[in-house]
């Protein structure tokens, strides 16, 4: 076998390896989603509104929900939960509010990504209204309150008495489909200082 034949075989093998790695990279995302669905880890929540129907509220139980906020690096907004922790009865509809302020000199569009810990609690958290469902535009120097309405499914296991809902805010201005600051029905202006 000549050196040229050996080189050709090596090139073919390397091309197949690269194609295999490329295909595996594409397959990772759906495989990861399936793995999270099966095992209940990662705390991914549904990004669609749940419909709240009159259900029996379990007054014999309380579940503590803690709210944590953070901004992705490079996101200049101030972002905090107005309520840090709330005790709820499974089946009871609750509303909490989050404060945002854009101190930047330009308009910014944000997207909040939720996660729940422990991850198994995520399937029992039902959001009927949430700022995380849509991109949130905010003009330079403006501030606002963003409500989140939710209930904990009464079928939540009895051993889950506490879970954390974290929102991470990302700057999506560059990818936003509409860079105008169209009023969002879920966002309300913050009261002016001194009012």
């Amino acid at each position: 076998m000549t050196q040229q034949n050996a080189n050709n075989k090596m090139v073919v093998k390397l091309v197949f390896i690269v194609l295999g790695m490329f295909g595996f990279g594409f397959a990772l995302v759906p495989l990861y989603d399936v793995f999270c669905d099966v095992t209940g880890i990662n705390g991914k929540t549904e990004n669609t509104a749940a419909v709240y129907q009159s259900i029996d509220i379990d007054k014999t139980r309380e579940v503590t929900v803690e709210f944590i906020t953070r901004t992705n690096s490079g996101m200049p907004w101030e972002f905090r939960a107005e309520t840090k922790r709330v005790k709820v009865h499974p089946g009871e509809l609750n509303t909490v509010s989050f404060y945002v302020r854009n101190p930047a000199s330009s308009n910014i569009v944000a997207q909040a990504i939720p996660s729940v810990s422990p991850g198994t609690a995520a399937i029992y958290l039902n959001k009927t209204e949430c700022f995380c469902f849509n991109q949130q535009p905010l003009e330079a120097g403006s501030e606002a309150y963003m409500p989140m309405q939710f209930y904990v499914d009464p079928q939540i296991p009895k051993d889950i008495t506490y879970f954390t809902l974290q929102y991470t805010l990302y700057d999506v201005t560059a990818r936003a489909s509409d860079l105008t600051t169209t009023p969002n029905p879920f966002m309300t202006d913050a009261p002016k200082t001194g009012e």
Side-chain angles (χ1 to χ4, degrees):
M1 181 175 356
T2 68
Q3 183 65 32
Q4 182 64 33
N5 286 344
N7 287 345
N8 288 345
K9 285 185 178 183
M10 179 60 74
V11 168
V12 169
K13 286 180 184 177
L14 290 174
V15 167
F16 278 116
I17 289 172
V18 167
L19 290 174
M21 289 170 48
F22 188 72
F24 183 70
F26 270 107
L28 273 180
V29 173
L31 287 173
Y32 179 71
D33 286 340
V34 168
F35 176 76
C36 289
D37 288 343
V38 168
T39 61
I41 63 170
N42 188 34
K44 293 172 78 173
T45 65
E46 289 293 321
N47 209 24
T48 56
V51 176
Y52 182 77
Q53 298 174 344
S54 183
I55 56 177
D56 290 333
I57 297 171
D58 187 352
K59 297 276 190 182
T60 65
R61 297 177 58 200
E62 277 190 339
V63 177
T64 302
V65 183
E66 180 181 30
F67 301 99
I68 297 176
T69 57
R70 62 182 292 267
T71 55
N72 192 42
S73 64
M75 176 56 156
W77 283 15
E78 180 183 341
F79 178 41
R80 69 174 182 264
E82 290 294 289
T83 304
K84 302 291 185 199
R85 187 177 294 116
V86 65
K87 291 184 182 219
V88 302
H89 298 292
E92 176 180 54
L93 193 61
N94 300 275
T95 302
V96 292
S97 184
F98 293 79
Y99 170 82
V100 288
R101 186 176 73 85
N102 178 5
S105 58
S106 60
N107 299 348
I108 295 178
V109 180
Q111 179 69 54
I113 305 296
S115 66
V116 175
S117 178
T120 51
I123 60 174
Y124 302 101
L125 174 65
N126 298 289
K127 294 174 288 194
T128 60
E129 179 184 310
C130 185
F131 56 92
C132 63
F133 295 155
N134 303 301
Q135 295 175 346
Q136 303 295 330
L138 194 59
E139 292 180 357
S142 296
E143 55 187 1
Y145 288 101
M146 304 183 300
M148 194 269 282
Q149 196 170 57
F150 72 100
Y151 68 96
V152 175
D153 192 307
Q155 295 181 19
I156 189 168
K158 300 231 185 275
D159 63 328
I160 300 177
T161 59
Y162 187 100
F163 65 85
T164 301
L165 173 58
Q166 176 179 294
Y167 282 106
T168 304
L169 211 54
Y170 292 87
D171 182 350
V172 295
T173 307
R175 296 189 307 264
S177 57
D178 181 13
L179 294 180
T180 62
T181 54
T182 304
N184 189 313
F186 297 121
M187 190 180 274
T188 59
D189 291 336
K192 304 289 187 249
T193 306
E195 288 185 4

